[in-house]
Amino acid sequence: MTAARSARLSLRAARRLAIGAQGLAAPLPGGRLDVRHLRRAMDSMGLLQIDAVNVLARSHLLVLRARMGGTHDAVLALLERSAYARRADERVLTEYWGHEASFVRVADWPLFGWRMRRGAAGDMWSGYARFGEANQPKIRAALAWLDANGPASTAEVDAAMGWGPGVRGPWGTRSNGKLALAWLFWAGRVGVADRTGFVRRYDVIERVLPSEMVEALVDEPDAHRALLTDAARCLGVATADDLIDYHRLPKRIAPARIAELVEDGQLREVAVEGWDRPGYVPAGQRAVRRRSRSVLLSPFDPLVWHRPRAERLFGFHYRIEIYTPKAKRQYGYFVLPFLHDDALVARLDVRFDRERDMLEVPASWAEPGSWPSGAAASADALEALATELHALSAWCGGEGVTVLSRGDLADRLRAAVAGADC
């Protein structure tokens, strides 16, 4: 234990571990994408957060693009085949509450049983919990209707049960059907059978997943240890807060599980340059020699989704401004960090103009303190960013890139994009 605690990591080495663990240093696969590539990407991340914002592309598709390449349509088709296959035993992924709403590996479903059991006992989001406490007859009726009739959306369940459309609030419609199915989903009684557009269609869990996954029971401490170990492997190096946040584990209990993993030798404690708290790496973790790829990251990419870690690891202060009034936004609506040479060196507001088939960059900013010093390094970063923008446009099915004038990087980037297009 003394040797493990005395181990030290430079910040550069910590970044390399984090980037390598997330699959952002390995070469992109060539040729046609298949389920092996998706499995490899999911193994590097553990789970994939789902987000509906589609100003560029669905966030989870951007996360996969950063690790798989391909085209938008190829990535989407592969994800849908893997998560919504007709037969339960053909599904590689399924939806559940992991790090927010997420795709998780089917093989990991039993590791979330503790959350389902807690949810059924009332430990879930307060609105769902209150509905569950007061409306068990409606919940049972919704479950029985699904069992008898098969996959349905919340609107279809509302209509079938005669519950009406519900009341629309600031976060969307919260109808009886929506709340009943959300409660059942959290409790693991129903799963997402498929989606129509981006609308979930639920079914009883026994038809969504193989019986051995549904019936498997993992006790809570073992599940927490397994999820923390998986988080450590996916993060490469992380603080206790980082590990707990990855699968949103209970903050009062998880530190004790981390201590047990250190005691058992599954995690090593390290001191990372500039960090004010211990870091943890998986046992047997090796140094990463490859530099990062140059790639624009989704705001919900696991490398940056925990904002305190992004700041601690990269000096990158990151706040998503989607819900900020336009006049008060500092950087833009849908801002993507640019990963280059093991650093986050820029941030770009990016959208896809579907009428013009054009990738548009309303604002582009160099990251203070992270922009490469020296003319040659700066030119290399600009060229890499311009190349990445053209690649992202092509991935979306676009025909080019337009860089608008906002941001301290805009003029240089516009020239670089024009040069890359020649």
Side-chain angles (χ1 to χ4, degrees):
M1 288 292 293
T2 302
R5 284 180 176 159
S6 64
R8 301 186 65 83
L9 278 179
S10 69
L11 190 57
R12 180 78 172 189
R15 289 179 177 181
R16 283 269 176 101
L17 286 177
I19 292 164
Q22 279 291 317
L24 293 168
L28 286 174
R32 185 177 179 180
L33 294 178
D34 60 35
V35 71
R36 294 171 300 170
H37 301 118
L38 181 65
R39 286 182 184 275
R40 190 176 305 131
M42 288 299 298
D43 286 346
S44 71
M45 297 183 294
L47 45 71
L48 175 62
Q49 183 177 338
I50 302 169
D51 191 81
V53 175
N54 197 26
V55 66
L56 174 61
R58 304 288 186 194
S59 172
H60 42 282
L61 300 181
L62 293 171
V63 174
L64 290 175
R65 171 193 177 264
R67 291 154 179 83
M68 293 166 46
T71 66
H72 173 278
D73 291 349
V75 172
L76 176 60
L78 180 57
L79 179 62
E80 290 183 340
R81 286 198 305 273
S82 299
Y84 311 124
R86 288 183 178 273
R87 289 176 39 179
D89 60 0
E90 293 177 346
R91 291 178 179 164
V92 176
L93 307 178
T94 194
E95 296 189 34
Y96 190 61
W97 293 111
H99 183 95
E100 303 292 343
S102 303
F103 291 105
V104 301
R105 293 166 293 192
V106 168
D108 289 340
W109 179 263
L111 299 181
F112 296 97
W114 63 274
R115 179 166 285 153
M116 301 167 197
R117 295 188 292 272
R118 284 187 175 214
D123 184 6
M124 60 174 69
W125 286 354
S126 58
Y128 299 166
R130 288 193 299 270
F131 182 86
E133 186 176 355
N135 293 278
Q136 281 300 313
K138 286 183 175 178
I139 289 172
R140 288 194 294 271
L143 182 62
W145 190 90
L146 281 181
D147 191 24
N149 294 280
S153 67
T154 58
E156 290 169 328
V157 170
D158 275 317
M161 306 301 293
W163 287 339
V167 178
R168 186 165 181 81
W171 300 105
T173 300
R174 291 291 186 263
S175 67
N176 285 307
K178 188 176 185 70
L179 289 167
L181 291 175
W183 191 96
L184 288 163
F185 178 66
W186 195 302
R189 310 279 175 78
V190 303
V192 179
D194 56 46
R195 284 181 181 259
T196 302
F198 204 65
V199 176
R200 285 171 169 170
R201 298 179 74 242
Y202 297 89
D203 201 355
V204 294
I205 196 63
E206 291 80 6
R207 287 198 291 260
V208 173
L209 296 179
S211 58
E212 61 268 24
M213 293 293 105
V214 175
E215 296 166 5
L217 181 64
V218 180
D219 69 27
E220 188 165 313
D222 286 343
H224 288 171
R225 282 188 287 265
L227 291 171
L228 288 164
T229 301
D230 195 51
R233 182 185 57 77
C234 294
L235 289 170
V237 57
T239 67
D241 286 345
D242 302 335
L243 295 175
I244 293 167
D245 175 78
Y246 207 78
H247 296 96
R248 300 293 169 84
L249 300 182
K251 293 182 179 180
R252 292 184 180 181
I253 298 173
R257 304 287 87 83
I258 293 172
E260 291 165 3
L261 291 168
V262 173
E263 184 67 27
D264 291 345
Q266 296 183 58
L267 295 180
R268 291 191 303 118
E269 187 176 302
V270 297
V272 179
E273 176 190 356
W275 289 14
D276 62 358
R277 64 202 69 186
Y280 299 91
V281 299
Q285 178 74 278
R286 295 181 179 179
V288 177
R289 291 180 171 82
R290 286 195 185 101
R291 293 185 178 185
S292 70
R293 292 197 302 278
S294 297
V295 62
L296 286 159
L297 301 176
S298 160
F300 305 105
D301 193 287
L303 189 67
V304 296
W305 68 22
H306 190 43
R307 309 311 189 201
R309 182 171 188 260
E311 192 158 1
R312 190 186 325 114
L313 193 59
F314 295 102
F316 192 78
H317 182 76
Y318 192 27
R319 299 293 182 270
I320 192 164
E321 298 180 286
I322 289 173
Y323 304 111
T324 303
K326 184 175 181 179
K328 295 184 178 180
R329 291 178 194 143
Q330 182 178 4
Y331 295 109
Y333 180 81
F334 194 68
V335 174
L336 310 185
F338 179 52
L339 178 66
H340 172 75
D341 195 19
D342 296 339
L344 299 177
V345 301
R347 62 182 85 201
L348 276 63
D349 187 17
V350 182
R351 64 190 180 203
F352 190 70
D353 187 331
R354 290 172 175 83
E355 292 183 359
R356 298 167 55 228
D357 285 337
M358 185 73 67
L359 190 77
E360 192 171 271
V361 184
S364 47
W365 309 85
E367 188 62 18
S370 296
W371 194 246
S373 59
S378 179
D380 176 69
L382 272 172
E383 181 182 353
L385 179 52
T387 299
E388 166 65 354
L389 284 169
H390 280 291
L392 181 57
S393 178
W395 183 84
C396 291
E399 297 180 356
V401 179
T402 300
V403 179
L404 304 185
S405 58
R406 186 165 178 257
D408 61 5
L409 193 58
D411 291 343
R412 286 180 288 167
L413 182 58
R414 190 182 305 110
V417 164
D421 194 31
C422 294

